[in-house]
Amino acid sequence: MISLRIDGALFNYRVAGVAVLNGKVLLHKTPSDNFWTLPGGRCELFEFSKDTLQREMQEETGMDAEAGEMLWVSENFFLYNGDKYHEIGFYFEMQIKNLPSQDDFLGVEGQDELLFHWHDVNDLHSIRVYPEFLADALAKKPLEKGHYNSGYLDLDAVSVIPS
């Protein structure tokens, strides 16, 4: 996985999928997180970004996903679980093949549980979604391509907002 520890901080190369269906977007979080994010994960060395998204969805959910066009590139700096991160994120349109329903479901990230939920795109400002640009970007119809930079965010200090 492309995650490098440099001078007490971590650099991450992350790929995420944007699945929007019936006005809802698929987000996930761990039970202990106080924010939601798009599903995806870290790219492996010599792996194309679209392949990363498909692999991560298969590993985390058992579902087959197809990566479409790249929507956004994001540069994020944040503190998470006591670690400082510098993250480059690629965000792709994503279709989930043979989606059984839009009900909540559980997935896994290694040994950790992931909670998946389809959130109404119009309600994203009432929950904590990270990176912060997502609530505005996902509300645009049609979705607009772009490059986003986020200032330093302390995810450890963000208060819990119910889902």
Side-chain angles (χ1 to χ4, degrees):
M1 300 296 169
I2 301 177
S3 184
L4 307 169
R5 189 165 292 280
I6 304 169
D7 296 330
L10 288 168
F11 171 79
N12 262 349
Y13 169 11
R14 185 170 192 272
V15 179
V18 181
V20 179
L21 184 63
N22 302 322
K24 296 182 178 192
V25 61
L26 182 63
L27 299 175
H28 77 347
K29 71 182 207 72
T30 68
S32 62
D33 283 340
N34 51 20
F35 61 92
W36 294 88
T37 192
L38 291 166
R42 289 175 287 182
C43 192
E44 292 182 356
L45 200 58
F46 303 110
E47 180 179 53
F48 290 110
S49 299
K50 284 186 173 186
D51 295 338
T52 297
L53 181 55
Q54 292 168 191
R55 176 184 50 77
E56 286 288 338
M57 285 299 291
Q58 183 57 230
E59 289 174 0
E60 293 177 358
T61 69
M63 295 181 194
D64 291 325
E66 183 175 316
E69 281 192 66
M70 182 185 292
L71 293 170
W72 310 305
V73 174
S74 175
E75 300 175 67
N76 303 300
F77 307 126
F78 56 94
L79 181 69
Y80 178 64
N81 289 335
D83 286 321
K84 290 190 284 187
Y85 283 81
H86 177 152
E87 182 175 271
I88 303 296
F90 293 146
Y91 296 82
F92 290 90
E93 289 179 321
M94 177 175 69
Q95 282 74 41
I96 301 171
K97 300 175 184 178
N98 302 318
L99 181 68
S101 71
Q102 282 185 272
D103 293 336
D104 291 354
F105 62 94
L106 295 176
V108 294
E109 170 67 36
Q111 301 297 321
D112 298 323
E113 187 175 70
L114 291 173
L115 309 173
F116 286 81
H117 180 75
W118 290 88
H119 290 270
D120 191 303
V121 171
N122 297 320
D123 295 337
L124 294 181
H125 287 286
S126 66
I127 63 171
R128 174 61 97 189
V129 181
Y130 187 76
E132 293 178 317
F133 79 87
L134 288 174
D136 288 332
L138 285 163
K140 295 180 180 173
K141 308 240 180 335
L143 297 177
E144 298 174 3
K145 296 178 182 174
H147 174 233
Y148 294 90
N149 295 315
S150 67
Y152 190 81
L153 181 64
D154 184 347
L155 294 176
D156 295 338
V158 176
S159 61
V160 175
I161 299 173
S163 56

